Amino acid sequence: MSNESTISGRLYAVRDSLPQGVTLVAVSKFHPEAQLLEAYSAGQRVFGESHVQELVRKHEQLPSDIQWHFIGHLQTNKVKYIVPFVSMIEAVDSWRLLTEIEKHAARACRVIPVLLELHVAQEQTKYGWSVDELRSMFASGEWRRLGHVSIDGLMAMASFTDDKEQVRREFSTARALFEELKSTYFAEEEHFSRCSWGMSDDYPIAVECGSNMVRIGTRIFGSRGY
Ligand SMILES: *Cc1c(COP(=O)(O)O)cnc(C)c1O
């Protein structure tokens, strides 16, 4: 039994609950470097952050083999600060942001793995493309000219609700669109393989609905106190 009063104990418990092939992104936003190091010492290498300044600071201070995922809403004028080192930008929510990443990645001679954020929740405030917007973005074909971003899959967040069936419907919508895009545009391309949905409270449902990348903060690091 792991000791769930420590970060490493909770990390092991979360890991044990995940099927093989599901990547755990430890969401460390607002938590101090020492806590990230505790997770790092327990073997965790993929961390998620949602604020640019905080991510840059942590990247400078923490071990260089950490894979940083930017998971928040990214303003186009801040892309340049993270492009040199980030492993994945998970919540690309507009064509403008995608092309801005392309531009800075080209300058940095990098190819940045990205996920496109699908809006499936009921809340108006959440960012992301609708199903139809993503379909027409792909149909336009312009994305094929972007040589410095690798579109690796979709990211989604469910509604903030206790209604598990609704959460399930939303994640299932995301999975269905992923399958459709995969077979239409990426059938031969292995990199389009990522389904990032599921957070502390809904990740078991997310995994049942085909997620292979979960972003978990509170359950590992405790509450963020904001
Ligand atoms: C904060 C955050 C998470 C983690 O949420 P928890 O409920 O703490 O697990 C996951 N995804 C995104 C995009 C976030 O901003």
Side-chain angles (χ1 to χ4, degrees):
M1 279 305 292
S2 45
N3 176 356
E4 297 208 9
S5 65
T6 64
I7 287 173
S8 52
R10 291 191 297 264
L11 180 70
Y12 294 140
V14 168
R15 255 193 226 147
D16 286 347
S17 71
L18 293 173
Q20 276 225 325
V22 178
T23 300
L24 171 60
V25 180
V27 176
S28 47
K29 62 190 184 199
F30 295 99
H31 293 286
E33 279 83 343
Q35 296 192 358
L36 279 75
L37 270 180
E38 200 177 326
Y40 179 88
S41 302
Q44 184 65 24
R45 290 295 179 272
V46 185
F47 289 84
E49 291 281 338
S50 55
H51 296 273
V52 167
Q53 256 191 320
E54 182 180 358
L55 171 55
V56 168
R57 189 192 76 219
K58 287 175 172 172
H59 163 253
E60 284 167 358
Q61 295 184 3
L62 291 167
S64 60
D65 62 340
I66 288 180
Q67 296 160 43
W68 296 103
H69 285 208
F70 192 82
I71 62 170
H73 172 64
L74 181 56
Q75 290 171 275
T76 49
N77 61 348
K78 295 195 173 161
V79 168
K80 57 177 176 285
Y81 300 116
I82 66 169
V83 150
F85 67 88
V86 77
S87 287
M88 181 174 268
I89 298 177
E90 286 208 22
V92 177
D93 56 9
S94 68
W95 176 255
R96 190 166 160 245
L97 177 57
L98 189 62
T99 54
E100 194 69 11
I101 296 169
E102 165 70 21
K103 184 176 89 187
H104 288 283
R107 280 183 197 159
C109 297
R110 291 197 68 200
V111 176
I112 310 272
V114 301
L115 305 181
L116 303 177
E117 181 176 3
L118 175 67
H119 178 106
V120 287
Q122 287 190 319
E123 285 102 72
Q124 299 285 315
T125 55
K126 290 200 173 144
Y127 295 100
W129 267 289
S130 69
V131 169
D132 286 339
E133 285 167 344
L134 266 187
R135 280 192 183 125
S136 31
M137 192 279 277
F138 275 101
S140 83
E142 282 187 71
W143 56 277
R144 295 185 191 278
R145 292 191 286 113
L146 308 177
H148 299 85
V149 294
S150 174
I151 299 175
D152 282 0
L154 300 182
M155 181 269 205
M157 275 187 277
S159 297
F160 185 69
T161 172
D162 289 333
D163 182 348
K164 291 190 161 42
E165 286 317 305
Q166 182 174 341
V167 169
R168 191 179 296 279
R169 274 197 301 279
E170 292 172 356
F171 287 149
S172 301
T173 298
R175 182 69 199 191
L177 183 64
F178 170 82
E179 302 283 355
E180 176 189 316
L181 297 173
K182 175 85 188 158
S183 61
T184 313
Y185 301 105
F186 299 99
E188 309 295 320
E189 288 171 78
E190 277 175 30
H191 67 89
F192 189 84
S193 61
R194 289 314 202 162
C195 295
S196 176
W197 39 91
M199 320 196 330
S200 288
D201 289 335
D202 58 17
Y203 80 87
I205 302 176
V207 168
E208 285 170 26
C209 299
S211 168
N212 54 30
M213 187 174 273
V214 293
R215 308 176 311 268
I216 299 183
T218 310
R219 197 169 283 264
I220 297 168
F221 295 106
S223 75
R224 290 178 288 270
Y226 52 56

